[in-house]
Amino acid sequence: MKKLSLLLLPLAVLLLFSSCAAGETELKNRLIIEGIGVDWDEKEEQYALTVQVLVTALSNGKENTAETPVANYTVRGKTIAEAINELCDTTGKNPLYSQNRIIILGSSLSDDKTIRALDYFAREYTARADVYVAAASGKASDILQVAGSGGEITAKIIEQSILESYQNSISVNTELFNVINLHLEDTTAFTMPLLEVDADRNGKEKSVKVTGTYVHTNGENENRLSSQETMFFLLMTDKAEKGTFSIESDGTAAGLDIIKASSKIDVEVKDGVPHYTIRVRCTADMLEFDTPQFGNFTAEDMKKIEAAAESTLKEGIEALLTRQLKEEKCDIFRFGRRLMQKEPTFYERVKDEWESYLPKITYTVSVSVTIRRIGQETMIR
Protein backbone atom coordinates (compact mmCIF):
# COMPACT_ATOMS: atom_id res chain seq x y z
CA MET A 1 0.00 0.00 0.00
CA LYS A 2 2.88 2.38 0.79
CA LYS A 3 4.43 1.74 -2.63
CA LEU A 4 1.08 2.40 -4.33
CA SER A 5 0.71 5.71 -2.47
CA LEU A 6 4.17 6.83 -3.62
CA LEU A 7 3.26 6.05 -7.23
CA LEU A 8 -0.02 7.95 -7.06
CA LEU A 9 1.45 11.08 -5.45
CA PRO A 10 3.37 12.35 -8.56
CA LEU A 11 0.30 11.73 -10.72
CA ALA A 12 -1.88 13.74 -8.36
CA VAL A 13 0.61 16.61 -8.39
CA LEU A 14 0.77 16.53 -12.20
CA LEU A 15 -3.00 16.70 -12.54
CA LEU A 16 -3.20 19.48 -9.97
CA PHE A 17 -0.75 21.84 -11.64
CA SER A 18 -1.31 21.10 -15.34
CA SER A 19 -3.82 23.41 -16.99
CA CYS A 20 -4.15 20.88 -19.82
CA ALA A 21 -4.96 17.99 -17.50
CA ALA A 22 -7.89 15.82 -18.50
CA GLY A 23 -11.09 17.07 -16.93
CA GLU A 24 -14.50 17.46 -18.51
CA THR A 25 -14.93 15.11 -21.46
CA GLU A 26 -17.96 16.82 -23.05
CA LEU A 27 -17.12 18.29 -26.45
CA LYS A 28 -18.28 21.75 -25.41
CA ASN A 29 -15.50 21.71 -22.82
CA ARG A 30 -12.82 20.52 -25.23
CA LEU A 31 -10.74 22.45 -27.74
CA ILE A 32 -11.24 20.46 -30.96
CA ILE A 33 -8.06 21.07 -32.95
CA GLU A 34 -8.30 20.96 -36.77
CA GLY A 35 -4.82 22.15 -37.72
CA ILE A 36 -1.57 23.43 -36.22
CA GLY A 37 1.00 25.73 -37.80
CA VAL A 38 4.49 26.07 -36.30
CA ASP A 39 6.76 29.05 -36.95
CA TRP A 40 9.95 30.21 -35.22
CA ASP A 41 10.28 33.74 -33.86
CA GLU A 42 13.99 34.46 -34.27
CA LYS A 43 13.86 37.72 -32.33
CA GLU A 44 12.16 36.24 -29.26
CA GLU A 45 13.74 32.81 -29.76
CA GLN A 46 10.50 30.95 -29.28
CA TYR A 47 7.90 28.98 -31.19
CA ALA A 48 4.82 30.76 -32.55
CA LEU A 49 1.90 28.37 -32.97
CA THR A 50 -1.22 29.04 -35.01
CA VAL A 51 -3.89 26.62 -33.82
CA GLN A 52 -7.10 26.23 -35.81
CA VAL A 53 -9.98 24.96 -33.66
CA LEU A 54 -13.59 24.06 -34.32
CA VAL A 55 -16.07 26.56 -32.92
CA THR A 56 -18.46 24.63 -30.67
CA ALA A 57 -19.64 27.30 -28.23
CA LEU A 58 -23.10 28.85 -28.40
CA SER A 59 -23.57 32.56 -28.97
CA ASN A 60 -26.45 34.21 -27.04
CA GLY A 61 -28.11 30.86 -26.62
CA LYS A 62 -28.11 30.22 -30.37
CA GLU A 63 -25.98 28.00 -32.57
CA ASN A 64 -22.87 29.55 -34.06
CA THR A 65 -23.74 31.19 -37.38
CA ALA A 66 -20.29 32.41 -38.42
CA GLU A 67 -19.30 32.00 -42.07
CA THR A 68 -16.48 29.70 -41.04
CA PRO A 69 -16.89 27.14 -38.24
CA VAL A 70 -13.30 27.57 -37.03
CA ALA A 71 -11.21 30.08 -35.11
CA ASN A 72 -7.44 30.61 -35.12
CA TYR A 73 -5.43 31.16 -31.94
CA THR A 74 -1.81 32.34 -31.82
CA VAL A 75 0.26 31.23 -28.83
CA ARG A 76 3.99 31.29 -28.08
CA GLY A 77 6.49 29.43 -25.97
CA LYS A 78 10.11 28.33 -25.65
CA THR A 79 8.77 24.82 -26.29
CA ILE A 80 5.71 23.50 -28.10
CA ALA A 81 4.43 22.20 -24.77
CA GLU A 82 4.64 25.68 -23.23
CA ALA A 83 2.74 27.19 -26.17
CA ILE A 84 0.02 24.54 -25.94
CA ASN A 85 -0.24 25.19 -22.22
CA GLU A 86 -0.76 28.89 -22.97
CA LEU A 87 -3.58 27.87 -25.32
CA CYS A 88 -5.24 25.97 -22.45
CA ASP A 89 -4.89 29.02 -20.19
CA THR A 90 -6.31 31.32 -22.88
CA THR A 91 -9.37 29.23 -23.70
CA GLY A 92 -9.93 27.41 -20.42
CA LYS A 93 -10.37 24.20 -22.40
CA ASN A 94 -8.37 21.01 -22.86
CA PRO A 95 -7.10 20.19 -26.39
CA LEU A 96 -8.57 17.28 -28.35
CA TYR A 97 -6.17 16.04 -31.06
CA SER A 98 -8.30 13.26 -32.55
CA GLN A 99 -9.68 15.66 -35.20
CA ASN A 100 -6.32 17.24 -36.06
CA ARG A 101 -5.80 17.05 -39.81
CA ILE A 102 -2.49 18.79 -40.49
CA ILE A 103 0.74 20.03 -38.89
CA ILE A 104 2.36 22.76 -41.00
CA LEU A 105 6.00 23.69 -40.49
CA GLY A 106 7.01 27.21 -41.49
CA SER A 107 10.15 28.05 -43.48
CA SER A 108 11.55 29.95 -40.45
CA LEU A 109 12.31 26.61 -38.78
CA SER A 110 15.93 25.66 -39.34
CA ASP A 111 16.87 22.09 -40.17
CA ASP A 112 17.28 20.97 -36.57
CA LYS A 113 14.19 22.85 -35.38
CA THR A 114 12.07 21.17 -38.05
CA ILE A 115 12.32 17.80 -36.34
CA ARG A 116 12.38 19.36 -32.84
CA ALA A 117 9.04 21.00 -33.55
CA LEU A 118 7.53 17.54 -34.07
CA ASP A 119 8.94 16.05 -30.87
CA TYR A 120 5.96 17.12 -28.77
CA PHE A 121 3.42 15.60 -31.18
CA ALA A 122 5.38 12.34 -31.34
CA ARG A 123 5.47 12.05 -27.53
CA GLU A 124 1.96 13.33 -26.70
CA TYR A 125 -0.01 10.09 -26.36
CA THR A 126 -3.34 11.67 -27.40
CA ALA A 127 -1.93 13.08 -30.66
CA ARG A 128 -2.53 11.24 -33.94
CA ALA A 129 0.44 9.46 -35.49
CA ASP A 130 -1.19 9.51 -38.94
CA VAL A 131 -1.75 13.27 -39.15
CA TYR A 132 -0.33 14.88 -42.30
CA VAL A 133 2.86 16.92 -41.90
CA ALA A 134 3.57 19.58 -44.53
CA ALA A 135 6.06 22.39 -45.15
CA ALA A 136 5.08 25.99 -45.91
CA SER A 137 7.00 28.02 -48.48
CA GLY A 138 6.62 30.97 -46.08
CA LYS A 139 4.86 31.31 -42.73
CA ALA A 140 2.73 28.44 -41.48
CA SER A 141 0.41 31.01 -39.93
CA ASP A 142 -0.33 32.49 -43.38
CA ILE A 143 -1.44 29.07 -44.62
CA LEU A 144 -3.94 28.40 -41.83
CA GLN A 145 -5.30 31.94 -41.86
CA VAL A 146 -6.53 31.64 -45.45
CA ALA A 147 -10.32 31.63 -45.21
CA GLY A 148 -12.02 28.48 -46.45
CA SER A 149 -14.48 29.03 -49.29
CA GLY A 150 -18.16 28.40 -48.62
CA GLY A 151 -17.61 28.06 -44.90
CA GLU A 152 -15.28 25.08 -45.29
CA ILE A 153 -12.56 24.35 -42.76
CA THR A 154 -9.15 25.44 -44.07
CA ALA A 155 -7.33 22.49 -42.47
CA LYS A 156 -9.82 20.09 -44.07
CA ILE A 157 -9.31 21.64 -47.51
CA ILE A 158 -5.53 21.30 -47.12
CA GLU A 159 -5.87 17.67 -46.05
CA GLN A 160 -8.01 16.89 -49.10
CA SER A 161 -5.62 18.79 -51.40
CA ILE A 162 -2.62 16.80 -50.15
CA LEU A 163 -4.43 13.50 -50.67
CA GLU A 164 -5.56 14.47 -54.16
CA SER A 165 -2.11 15.77 -55.09
CA TYR A 166 -0.55 12.51 -53.96
CA GLN A 167 -3.04 10.45 -55.96
CA ASN A 168 -2.07 12.48 -59.04
CA SER A 169 1.68 12.28 -58.24
CA ILE A 170 2.01 16.03 -57.75
CA SER A 171 3.23 15.74 -54.16
CA VAL A 172 4.04 13.23 -51.44
CA ASN A 173 1.66 12.60 -48.50
CA THR A 174 3.94 12.35 -45.49
CA GLU A 175 2.35 11.54 -42.14
CA LEU A 176 3.86 12.12 -38.71
CA PHE A 177 5.00 8.53 -38.20
CA ASN A 178 6.66 8.60 -41.66
CA VAL A 179 8.70 11.66 -40.71
CA ILE A 180 9.82 10.16 -37.41
CA ASN A 181 10.73 6.78 -38.92
CA LEU A 182 12.62 8.27 -41.87
CA HIS A 183 14.45 10.75 -39.64
CA LEU A 184 15.68 7.86 -37.50
CA GLU A 185 17.32 6.27 -40.55
CA ASP A 186 20.97 7.33 -40.61
CA THR A 187 21.18 8.05 -44.32
CA THR A 188 17.68 9.06 -45.44
CA ALA A 189 16.35 12.58 -46.05
CA PHE A 190 12.60 12.75 -45.50
CA THR A 191 10.15 14.64 -47.69
CA MET A 192 6.92 16.56 -47.07
CA PRO A 193 4.20 18.18 -49.20
CA LEU A 194 5.00 21.82 -49.97
CA LEU A 195 2.25 24.41 -49.46
CA GLU A 196 2.00 28.06 -50.48
CA VAL A 197 -0.63 30.79 -50.48
CA ASP A 198 -1.94 31.43 -53.99
CA ALA A 199 -3.82 34.65 -54.89
CA ASP A 200 -6.41 34.68 -57.66
CA ARG A 201 -6.24 37.00 -60.65
CA ASN A 202 -7.87 39.98 -58.94
CA GLY A 203 -5.57 39.54 -55.95
CA LYS A 204 -8.41 39.60 -53.41
CA GLU A 205 -9.26 36.01 -52.61
CA LYS A 206 -6.53 33.59 -51.59
CA SER A 207 -6.26 29.83 -51.52
CA VAL A 208 -3.75 27.22 -50.40
CA LYS A 209 -1.94 25.35 -53.16
CA VAL A 210 0.17 22.19 -53.09
CA THR A 211 3.15 23.05 -55.30
CA GLY A 212 5.45 20.04 -55.04
CA THR A 213 7.68 18.41 -52.45
CA TYR A 214 9.93 19.80 -49.73
CA VAL A 215 13.13 17.88 -48.93
CA HIS A 216 14.57 18.14 -45.43
CA THR A 217 18.34 18.52 -45.65
CA ASN A 218 21.19 19.28 -43.28
CA GLY A 219 22.39 22.24 -45.30
CA GLU A 220 21.29 25.83 -45.77
CA ASN A 221 20.27 25.42 -49.41
CA GLU A 222 16.59 24.82 -50.12
CA ASN A 223 15.88 21.50 -51.79
CA ARG A 224 12.49 21.26 -53.42
CA LEU A 225 11.00 18.98 -56.06
CA SER A 226 8.66 20.40 -58.67
CA SER A 227 5.40 18.58 -59.32
CA GLN A 228 6.99 16.89 -62.35
CA GLU A 229 10.07 15.83 -60.38
CA THR A 230 7.75 14.49 -57.69
CA MET A 231 6.09 12.24 -60.27
CA PHE A 232 9.50 10.83 -61.27
CA PHE A 233 10.35 10.34 -57.58
CA LEU A 234 7.10 8.48 -56.85
CA LEU A 235 7.44 6.40 -60.02
CA MET A 236 10.89 5.07 -59.20
CA THR A 237 10.05 4.43 -55.53
CA ASP A 238 6.92 2.43 -56.41
CA LYS A 239 4.48 4.95 -54.91
CA ALA A 240 2.91 6.50 -58.00
CA GLU A 241 -0.81 5.94 -58.41
CA LYS A 242 -1.42 8.25 -61.36
CA GLY A 243 0.41 10.96 -63.24
CA THR A 244 0.17 13.10 -66.38
CA PHE A 245 3.10 13.97 -68.63
CA SER A 246 3.78 15.18 -72.16
CA ILE A 247 5.97 13.67 -74.87
CA GLU A 248 6.97 14.44 -78.42
CA SER A 249 6.87 11.80 -81.13
CA ASP A 250 8.00 12.64 -84.68
CA GLY A 251 7.55 16.33 -83.92
CA THR A 252 4.02 15.91 -82.57
CA ALA A 253 3.18 16.53 -78.92
CA ALA A 254 1.04 14.07 -76.96
CA GLY A 255 -0.37 13.96 -73.46
CA LEU A 256 -0.36 10.69 -71.54
CA ASP A 257 -2.02 9.69 -68.28
CA ILE A 258 -0.44 6.97 -66.13
CA ILE A 259 -3.12 4.64 -64.80
CA LYS A 260 -0.92 1.90 -63.32
CA ALA A 261 2.75 1.70 -62.40
CA SER A 262 5.23 -0.46 -60.54
CA SER A 263 8.96 -0.35 -59.93
CA LYS A 264 11.79 -2.38 -58.47
CA ILE A 265 15.20 -1.29 -57.20
CA ASP A 266 18.13 -3.68 -56.77
CA VAL A 267 21.60 -2.87 -55.46
CA GLU A 268 24.97 -4.55 -55.70
CA VAL A 269 28.50 -3.40 -54.96
CA LYS A 270 30.67 -3.17 -58.07
CA ASP A 271 34.36 -2.31 -57.72
CA GLY A 272 33.75 -0.89 -54.27
CA VAL A 273 30.84 1.33 -55.40
CA PRO A 274 27.09 0.69 -54.92
CA HIS A 275 25.28 0.25 -58.22
CA TYR A 276 21.48 0.56 -58.30
CA THR A 277 19.33 -1.00 -61.00
CA ILE A 278 15.96 0.73 -61.29
CA ARG A 279 13.17 -0.85 -63.36
CA VAL A 280 9.90 0.99 -63.94
CA ARG A 281 6.84 -0.40 -65.70
CA CYS A 282 3.69 1.57 -66.35
CA THR A 283 0.48 1.51 -68.36
CA ALA A 284 -0.86 4.78 -69.74
CA ASP A 285 -3.82 6.20 -71.65
CA MET A 286 -3.44 8.81 -74.37
CA LEU A 287 -5.20 12.03 -73.44
CA GLU A 288 -4.22 14.12 -76.43
CA PHE A 289 -2.37 13.91 -79.75
CA ASP A 290 -1.72 17.39 -81.09
CA THR A 291 -2.68 17.04 -84.77
CA PRO A 292 -5.58 18.57 -86.75
CA GLN A 293 -6.59 15.09 -87.95
CA PHE A 294 -8.22 12.33 -85.92
CA GLY A 295 -6.76 9.48 -87.92
CA ASN A 296 -6.21 5.91 -86.80
CA PHE A 297 -2.90 4.89 -85.25
CA THR A 298 -0.89 2.10 -86.78
CA ALA A 299 1.08 -0.40 -84.73
CA GLU A 300 4.22 1.44 -85.84
CA ASP A 301 2.81 4.74 -84.61
CA MET A 302 2.10 3.24 -81.18
CA LYS A 303 5.62 1.81 -80.92
CA LYS A 304 7.05 5.28 -81.56
CA ILE A 305 4.77 6.88 -78.97
CA GLU A 306 5.62 4.24 -76.37
CA ALA A 307 9.33 4.64 -77.11
CA ALA A 308 9.03 8.42 -76.72
CA ALA A 309 7.18 7.96 -73.40
CA GLU A 310 9.84 5.56 -72.14
CA SER A 311 12.59 8.00 -73.11
CA THR A 312 10.82 10.95 -71.41
CA LEU A 313 10.32 9.10 -68.12
CA LYS A 314 13.82 7.60 -68.18
CA GLU A 315 15.45 11.00 -68.76
CA GLY A 316 13.32 12.58 -66.02
CA ILE A 317 14.27 9.92 -63.46
CA GLU A 318 17.96 10.13 -64.38
CA ALA A 319 17.92 13.93 -64.12
CA LEU A 320 16.33 13.69 -60.65
CA LEU A 321 18.93 11.13 -59.55
CA THR A 322 21.75 13.31 -60.81
CA ARG A 323 20.48 16.42 -59.04
CA GLN A 324 19.77 14.74 -55.71
CA LEU A 325 22.85 12.49 -55.52
CA LYS A 326 25.53 14.59 -57.16
CA GLU A 327 24.38 18.20 -56.64
CA GLU A 328 22.25 18.17 -53.50
CA LYS A 329 24.06 15.15 -52.01
CA CYS A 330 20.76 14.03 -50.56
CA ASP A 331 19.31 10.50 -50.31
CA ILE A 332 15.53 10.78 -50.64
CA PHE A 333 15.38 7.35 -52.32
CA ARG A 334 16.39 5.35 -49.21
CA PHE A 335 19.38 4.00 -51.15
CA GLY A 336 21.33 3.74 -47.89
CA ARG A 337 18.55 1.67 -46.33
CA ARG A 338 18.54 -0.69 -49.33
CA LEU A 339 22.32 -1.02 -49.13
CA MET A 340 22.11 -1.86 -45.42
CA GLN A 341 19.65 -4.68 -46.15
CA LYS A 342 21.64 -6.14 -49.06
CA GLU A 343 25.25 -5.40 -48.12
CA PRO A 344 25.33 -4.72 -44.33
CA THR A 345 29.11 -5.01 -43.99
CA PHE A 346 29.81 -2.53 -46.77
CA TYR A 347 27.09 -0.22 -45.45
CA GLU A 348 28.71 -0.04 -42.01
CA ARG A 349 31.94 1.12 -43.66
CA VAL A 350 30.38 4.01 -45.56
CA LYS A 351 27.29 5.12 -43.60
CA ASP A 352 29.11 7.79 -41.56
CA GLU A 353 30.28 9.46 -44.78
CA TRP A 354 27.16 8.69 -46.79
CA GLU A 355 26.48 12.27 -47.83
CA SER A 356 29.92 12.70 -49.39
CA TYR A 357 29.68 9.18 -50.83
CA LEU A 358 26.45 9.82 -52.76
CA PRO A 359 28.07 11.39 -55.88
CA LYS A 360 30.04 8.16 -56.40
CA ILE A 361 26.91 6.01 -56.70
CA THR A 362 26.17 4.58 -60.14
CA TYR A 363 22.79 3.51 -61.48
CA THR A 364 20.98 2.04 -64.45
CA VAL A 365 17.40 3.06 -65.25
CA SER A 366 15.03 1.18 -67.54
CA VAL A 367 11.42 2.13 -68.26
CA SER A 368 8.71 0.13 -70.04
CA VAL A 369 5.49 1.88 -71.12
CA THR A 370 2.37 0.27 -72.57
CA ILE A 371 -0.35 2.43 -74.12
CA ARG A 372 -3.73 0.99 -73.14
CA ARG A 373 -6.16 3.44 -74.73
CA ILE A 374 -5.91 6.13 -77.43
CA GLY A 375 -9.03 7.95 -76.25
CA GLN A 376 -12.41 6.28 -76.43
CA GLU A 377 -10.90 3.13 -77.89
CA THR A 378 -8.84 0.35 -76.35
CA MET A 379 -5.73 -0.64 -78.25
CA ILE A 380 -5.97 -4.04 -79.90
CA ARG A 381 -2.61 -5.76 -80.03
Side-chain angles (χ1 to χ4, degrees), residues 294-305:
F294 296 90
N296 293 326
F297 291 95
T298 65
E300 188 65 26
D301 292 331
M302 294 313 302
K303 287 182 180 179
K304 291 181 180 180
I305 293 172

Side-chain angles (χ1 to χ4, degrees), residues 316-333:
I317 292 173
E318 289 177 338
L320 177 62
L321 285 164
T322 298
R323 186 166 83 84
Q324 292 301 314
L325 299 179
K326 300 185 184 302
E327 298 175 20
E328 302 290 350
K329 297 181 180 179
C330 189
D331 183 6
I332 62 175
F333 314 104

Side-chain angles (χ1 to χ4, degrees), residues 29-300:
N29 297 316
R30 302 299 299 272
L31 204 61
I32 303 176
I33 295 177
E34 293 284 339
I36 299 175
V38 185
D39 293 300
W40 178 254
D41 187 332
E42 186 67 33
K43 183 178 180 180
E44 300 295 331
E45 294 188 345
Q46 61 182 357
Y47 292 103
L49 266 61
T50 303
V51 185
Q52 187 166 103
V53 303
L54 193 65
V55 177
T56 57
L58 301 182
S59 176
N60 297 325
K62 298 180 181 180
E63 291 186 5
N64 173 54
T65 57
E67 291 185 3
T68 175
V70 295
N72 288 324
Y73 291 89
T74 300
V75 289
R76 298 170 180 271
K78 294 293 184 181
T79 63
I80 300 294
E82 182 182 337
I84 293 293
N85 202 59
E86 181 186 333
L87 180 63
C88 297
D89 291 339
T90 301
T91 62
K93 296 182 179 182
N94 299 319
L96 180 66
Y97 296 101
S98 60
Q99 292 293 111
N100 189 26
R101 303 172 184 276
I102 184 76
I103 299 173
I104 304 173
L105 305 176
S107 60
S108 57
L109 294 168
S110 61
D111 292 326
D112 61 331
K113 286 186 177 64
T114 298
I115 199 66
R116 289 182 184 181
L118 296 176
D119 187 85
Y120 171 84
F121 304 104
R123 296 179 188 276
E124 169 56 51
Y125 73 96
T126 62
R128 291 174 50 192
D130 61 346
V131 63
Y132 284 134
V133 180
S137 60
K139 290 183 178 180
S141 58
D142 291 342
I143 300 291
L144 280 179
Q145 288 171 0
V146 172
S149 59
E152 290 189 86
I153 300 171
T154 306
K156 182 179 180 181
I157 296 174
I158 296 172
E159 179 188 45
Q160 293 172 338
S161 298
I162 290 175
L163 179 58
E164 184 176 345
S165 296
Y166 173 67
Q167 290 174 341
N168 289 285
S169 298
I170 295 174
S171 178
V172 296
N173 70 336
T174 310
E175 296 170 316
L176 179 60
F177 73 91
N178 295 133
V179 173
I180 301 303
N181 289 338
L182 292 176
H183 175 70
L184 292 175
E185 293 182 7
D186 293 329
T187 57
T188 303
F190 63 84
T191 59
M192 296 182 286
L194 182 63
L195 308 176
E196 69 177 32
V197 177
D198 185 39
D200 67 2
R201 292 181 180 179
N202 59 30
K204 294 182 179 180
E205 296 183 0
K206 296 180 179 180
S207 61
V208 179
K209 183 179 181 181
V210 183
T211 60
T213 299
Y214 168 88
V215 181
H216 179 267
T217 64
N218 294 321
E220 296 181 356
N221 295 331
E222 290 186 345
N223 187 0
R224 301 177 178 181
L225 308 185
S226 66
S227 57
Q228 195 75 1
E229 286 180 314
T230 299
M231 185 188 72
F232 298 139
F233 171 55
L234 295 176
L235 267 177
M236 64 168 289
T237 54
D238 201 27
K239 294 179 180 178
E241 296 186 17
K242 297 179 182 178
T244 301
F245 64 103
S246 299
I247 64 168
E248 186 172 307
S249 178
D250 284 346
T252 302
L256 300 179
D257 187 29
I258 297 171
I259 53 95
K260 184 171 66 173
S262 63
S263 68
K264 185 177 181 181
I265 300 178
D266 294 319
V267 59
E268 59 180 329
V269 178
K270 293 183 176 180
D271 300 324
V273 177
H275 180 84
Y276 292 83
T277 302
I278 304 159
R279 302 180 182 89
V280 177
R281 299 176 62 88
C282 64
T283 303
D285 291 345
M286 186 178 295
L287 299 176
E288 178 183 5
F289 196 69
D290 192 18
T291 63
Q293 300 177 356
F294 296 90
N296 293 326
F297 291 95
T298 65
E300 188 65 26

